[in-house]
Amino acid sequence: MSDQNPFPGENNTGHYWDGNLRELLNPIPKWWMIGFWISIAIFIGYTIWYPSWPLINTHFKGVAGWTAMNEYKEDMAKIEAIRAPYEESINKMSAAQILADDQLANYTVRSAKVLFGDKCAACHGTGGAGNPGYPVLADDDWLYGGTIEKIQETITIGRQGMMPAHGSRLSDQQISDLTKHVVALGQGSEDAAGKAVFMSAGCFACHGMDAKGNQMMGSANLTDGIYRFAPGGADSVKYTIAHGVNDASDAKSRNAVMPVFGKMLDENDIKKLAVYVYKLGGGQ
Amino acid sequence: MTGGIVNNLVNSAQSENIDDLYEEASHWHVNTGDETIHAKRLAGRFRTYKWLGHALYLLFFLGPYLRWEDSQAILYDIPGRKFHFFDLTILPQDVWILSLILMFFAILMVVVTAIVGRLWCGYFCFQTAWTDVFTWIEGKIEGDPAKRRKLDDAAWSSEKIRKRGIKHTLWLLISVLTGISFTAWFTDAYQLWSDLFTLDAAFMSWVTIGTFTAGTYVLAGFMREQVCLWLCPYARIQGVFYDRDTELPTYDFNRGEPRGKLRKGENTEGKGDCVACNQCVAVCPTGIDIRAGQQEGCITCGLCIDACDMVMDKVGKSRGLVRYASLDEIQGIDVPPVYKRPRIIASSALIMIAVFGIIYGLTHLGSLELKVLHERQPLFVQQSDGTIQNKYYFKMLNKTDKEMQVKITVDESINGLTMIGADKTIAVGSGDLRSHTIFVKVPNGFISAPRLPVIFHLSDASDPDTMVTYESMFFGPKH
């Protein structure tokens, strides 16, 4: 190295070795350096404006007071503001009135979808498709009635099915005759022997003379081929006749309970759910 | 084997004197913007072409003020998600046409570049055009390049402040006008002007105008050729579009070399035609020497051709020492005609596909659009009357600018098929996507397969010709 530059005017740093090996000076472009310093200035401004540096027990909050949670709340408030007029109408109107208003019914179905998923779909399946032991809600076969008021009532006060076990009251022959009759009813015909048992054992008291059920007491319509208890068919029917539904005296009795949602959900949510279920495909 | 190659490399490195390498390095000039390029302006053929190319940008400034039936003729309405082009309104659903238009221009650029180099860069690019206008203003106020360099170095005086003041004021004026014109394509132009004067314009308008003003002022006023050299991606990928047959401003080195200054009375025997006047360098807006061969700094604007032709005329030699020519042409190799070059044929075919796609799209925009989603949970439901019911979600889009009453119909492709929920017409607002639920019932006995086609139609109740059709599926139990 020498202080005397043997290659003057060559744009070198003045450092040279071994006579001719030297370091050329090619500085970074000025515009690039300007950009570099601007970036640093932005970085400093950013860390002052926004939460940034870790401190001992907390962190620097930033002068703007921005937090992700506040931003979330602001966004939620915006969404709530959009929903507010609809929610207000739902609050004021009955479920039947909501149904009559196309736009509001549309909103209700959309907003109740999440609610249905949280509260109902565990038993009734997504979209009310039903599950073994839990009724399909998308069809028009209703145990307790498919009007909007009845659906709302069912959600609010819950339901408990009731059918006595007949295993100890009827002979095996009677039960199999009755089974044949019930299966035949679903296919649009009858079984004479079974029909006799149907009358003598008092089945008609709940299921009706025409076996179409009674929505006042929640007894099933036996003539439509839609089975309350899966998988349907002779074995399933026979089991239900023998062990009944919710009969405490028979340990093998079928279980059919719809919980009371009146205490778990507020009235608006129940209205929304009623409209949603009504709109699934079987509302009457 | 490998050792041999390494030895060769070492030998060749050693055989060249290290000082020769330094000599060579001193000629490398990397233009990083430390020195402002003050290019000379000469009249000429390519100068005229360049102005004509730039003149297209008058459309950019004037376009937003065109009216069509009480609204802006060309308006890119971002909040409304609509693109208005005279009678056409294009909604996001038809945005695939835009991708074809982008494809068209992208491939057009490949083809054009393969044939005549960076035609876009040299004559049409906004960076080139705005820089050209800015330096033209600079020249009018501060004088020729020599005076400008002098003024750059001069100490601040009232004269310098006056000249610089006028120049920057004019630059800023053009920049602001550029910003406003750009913004005017996205919002009503006349309204924008009145909002700007009453300070009522939307926040986004101010931001956009500010960004484009600053961008224009900095990029065209200060960055200039640095944008082409270091920022612009297209400038850098051009190399792969070129081939040996691409016509570019080229220095005919066979004719020009060895170059030398022309001195009166000196014998020019054995010398080339280049008189080393450096006019080609003086006029170059990116500050390159075309005689060093094709390079990334060349935007192929042809101004060096004008300069060289002017000099050749003066010294009584034929024009074209620097001219549009391909590498093969200069080297005396036959150049195939454009239509026989495979790259051109393939790219042109792609361009035609894009063109037909765009034409098809624009002529088949339609006024209604229909999508039908089949409910999957449950796929089907048995009803107490023994029918099987399916549920469908209709998504109906009205692409016209008026509310439409639409009617849903279905083909009786399955015996006993009935549709529920379509007895009334449905109102769909302009540009609205309306959803509607439809049930279809078929008696169980008529269901011959687990999946049957079902065909829905949607039409404007007052104009049945607008019918659109959607084929969906009807699901039923297996028998």
Side-chain angles (χ1 to χ4, degrees), chain A residues 10 20-22 29-31 102 106 110 126-127 129 138-140 224-226 279-281, chain B residues 18-19 22 32 34 223 226 230-231 377-378 381-385 389 391 395 434-435 439:
Chain A
E10 193 207 33
N20 61 5
L21 188 61
R22 64 260 190 211
K30 204 200 287 165
W31 62 263
D102 250 10
N106 225 341
R110 297 288 176 91
T126 310
D139 63 17
D140 64 347
D224 60 8
I226 300 173
K279 285 272 191 181
L280 281 174
Chain B
I18 196 81
D19 283 320
Y22 278 121
T32 55
D34 290 340
M223 298 288 282
Q226 294 295 306
W230 308 112
L231 290 184
Q377 259 176 326
V381 160
Q382 184 177 348
Q383 298 291 79
S384 41
D385 61 1
Q389 178 170 288
K391 188 178 186 182
K395 303 273 176 196
R434 171 91 199 249
S435 54
F439 297 101

Side-chain angles (χ1 to χ4, degrees), chain B residues 9 18 41 60 88 93 107 109 135 150 152 221 252 269 284 313-314 375 395-396 400 405 422 432 478-479:
Chain B
L9 282 174
I18 196 81
R41 269 172 191 267
F60 166 79
L88 284 177
Q93 282 76 9
I107 301 169
M109 201 169 250
T135 52
K150 218 168 138 194
D152 283 351
D252 188 345
E269 196 87 13
C284 181
D313 288 351
K314 271 189 184 156
E375 169 68 70
K395 303 273 176 196
M396 302 170 291
T400 67
Q405 293 288 332
D432 277 359
K478 281 181 191 145
H479 287 290

Side-chain angles (χ1 to χ4, degrees), chain B residues 8 20 76 80 117 123 166 174 179 181 184 221 258 264 281 321 341 364 374 423 426 451 466 477:
Chain B
N8 283 344
D20 289 344
Y76 209 103
Y123 306 94
I166 296 172
I174 294 176
S181 300
K264 267 189 186 140
V281 181
L321 179 59
R341 288 159 62 186
H364 289 74
H374 185 274
D423 36 342
I426 303 151
R451 277 204 308 276
T466 55

